Amino acid sequence: MIANTALLAAVTTFLLVAWLAGELVYLVPFKRAIFWAYGWHLGGLALVLFVNLSGWFYLIARWMFLRDAGRKLRHMDRQLETPESVHAELREHLQARRR
């Protein structure tokens, strides 16, 4: 899930930077001076944007994909404790752990 959110954040950051470059085309004659004076700041800003987007996308992914995980795991736990369970060793381990 982290890799997917990082990829989505990288693509979003790239698209935002590309859109911004298209909008600021009138600054092309001054690009050498701008990058020389503010290159580290622009790179840091892009990094902060990427990290923030990664965090937001991770939060959204957790909310979307893991909201029913507790209920599903509880159902699996009950199913493993039944006598018809395929995993008898695992059932014994779970019962010993609860005591």
Side-chain angles (χ1 to χ4, degrees), residues 21 29 87 96:
H87 305 288

Side-chain angles (χ1 to χ4, degrees), residues 5 8-9 16 20 40 47 52 60 64 66 69 72 89 91:
T5 57
L8 187 59
L16 285 172
L20 193 60
W40 288 105
L47 182 65
N52 280 321
I60 291 168
M64 285 177 58
L66 297 178
K72 291 175 185 175
E89 294 176 9
R91 186 179 68 241

Side-chain angles (χ1 to χ4, degrees), residues 18-90:
W19 172 77
L20 193 60
E23 291 294 317
L24 299 176
V25 73
Y26 61 90
L27 293 175
V28 170
F30 310 108
K31 69 180 173 183
R32 176 175 246 146
I34 290 171
F35 283 118
W36 186 81
Y38 301 107
W40 288 105
H41 295 97
L42 294 172
L45 182 68
L47 182 65
V48 167
L49 176 67
F50 170 76
V51 170
N52 280 321
L53 285 174
S54 294
W56 278 107
F57 290 147
Y58 185 74
L59 183 72
I60 291 168
R62 281 185 54 101
W63 177 75
M64 285 177 58
F65 301 126
L66 297 178
R67 61 181 141 187
D68 296 331
R71 185 177 53 82
K72 291 175 185 175
L73 288 174
R74 222 175 11 252
H75 173 72
M76 282 293 288
D77 195 26
R78 289 182 187 141
Q79 189 176 11
L80 285 172
E81 290 177 350
T82 61
E84 299 87 29
S85 177
V86 177
H87 305 288
E89 294 176 9
L90 184 57

